[in-house]
Amino acid sequence: MARKLVAANWKMNGSLARNHDLVGKVLAGLSGVACEVVLCVPHPYLAQVGGLLEGGAVGLGGQDLSAHDAGAYTGEVSGAMLSDLACSHVVVGHSERRKYHAESDALVLEKVQKALQAGLVPILCVGESREEREAGETDRVVLGQLEAVFAGLDDVAARKMIVAYEPVWAIGTGLAATPEMAQAVHAAIRGALGTRLGADAAVVPLLYGGSVNAENAASLFAMEDIDGALVGGASLDAEAFVAICAANAAH
Ligand code: PGA
């Protein structure tokens, strides 16, 4: 059985005051909720949020990392820096990085390798656009993005991954995939991982992301191959985020 996990992706949102309030409310709401939770926050706030989470069970994550170790790469942040700031996870290959920063599958693989070298768990994002879904290309696109990374990893590294299926058309639109649509893609991902890892494919957490909210979370988590969620917009609302984590804990 894969671990239950809900990861927050704050994206480029927050302020010192707002983070303090949000994290306080999330921690209070999560007491007694049996779900692994990770907050992926903007780099400037890692130290602040790390301090607020210190000693507790909620993990800290970055939203991206550099494919380089150190040096003349202005503006970039290395895996070692994220580890230094107590991150356990890092989002890699989010569709917003692929779209606005032209991140290729090859670059995403390099970043995943750097994350693993730094002792971070990569949350690899994959997902099709609306046009690709309408053209019947969903599995080809998603499994292609998955394969491009997994082909470059040894089996030990592959078992450490988390995969987030995030259909691009569902991100931030309020139009989540139906549980059945998401499950179909998750089953295809699990199948592809099974070809590679055998029974161990079951230990790789498969998260769904794209307009997850307090209302639709339970029906998504009821699906066999949906182990958790990567939550954007709703992770900025403590009550909604805690409700999503509680729904995950209940399945
Ligand atoms: P959303 O974002 O929950 O706001 O759709 C999800 C994501 O991009 O990870």
Side-chain angles (χ1 to χ4, degrees):
M1 258 288 276
R3 292 171 354 249
K4 293 169 183 295
L5 171 72
V6 174
N9 175 10
W10 285 6
K11 309 196 180 185
M12 196 172 74
N13 292 292
S15 68
L16 290 173
R18 188 176 173 191
N19 304 343
H20 192 274
D21 180 62
L22 177 59
V23 173
K25 287 179 176 154
V26 165
L27 290 180
L30 285 178
S31 85
V33 174
C35 169
E36 187 180 347
V37 177
V38 177
L39 305 183
C40 300
V41 311
H43 294 151
Y45 297 129
L46 284 170
Q48 180 209 12
V49 176
L52 295 169
L53 298 179
E54 207 174 334
V58 173
L60 182 68
Q63 297 177 8
D64 181 39
L65 80 167
S66 176
H68 303 284
D69 289 327
Y73 301 101
T74 302
E76 296 212 38
V77 168
S78 71
M81 292 173 184
L82 296 179
S83 289
D84 219 7
L85 284 163
C87 286
S88 50
H89 293 68
V90 61
V91 177
V92 186
H94 191 280
S95 65
E96 287 150 17
R97 299 292 316 173
R98 294 179 191 259
K99 179 175 172 192
Y100 301 128
H101 301 272
E103 292 198 3
S104 64
D105 284 335
L107 181 66
V108 172
L109 168 59
E110 284 179 47
K111 291 187 171 194
V112 163
Q113 288 168 327
K114 290 297 179 193
L116 290 164
Q117 280 166 23
L120 299 163
V121 177
I123 302 174
L124 169 68
C125 300
V126 296
E128 82 289 0
S129 66
R130 175 170 302 286
E131 297 71 34
E132 288 163 341
R133 174 163 283 271
E134 284 169 358
E137 299 276 279
T138 299
D139 282 7
R140 187 188 63 75
V141 169
V142 169
L143 299 182
Q145 290 171 339
L146 186 80
E147 257 318 292
V149 169
F150 275 76
L153 303 178
D154 64 29
D155 287 356
V156 175
R159 286 186 184 84
K160 293 184 180 152
M161 298 291 294
I162 292 173
V163 178
Y165 167 56
E166 296 208 312
V168 178
W169 48 269
I171 296 175
T173 58
L175 255 181
T178 64
E180 293 72 22
M181 281 163 108
Q183 166 58 26
V185 179
H186 280 230
I189 293 172
R190 190 85 75 195
L193 293 178
T195 307
R196 172 66 190 275
L197 298 174
D200 282 357
V203 304
V204 176
L206 303 186
L207 312 183
Y208 167 77
S211 297
V212 175
N213 58 37
E215 288 70 44
N216 61 23
S219 59
L220 287 159
F221 297 144
M223 294 288 130
E224 187 180 349
D225 291 299
I226 301 182
D227 305 311
L230 180 56
V231 185
S235 73
L236 302 171
D237 175 334
E239 207 180 314
F241 186 66
V242 167
I244 292 165
C245 297
N248 193 224
H251 280 280

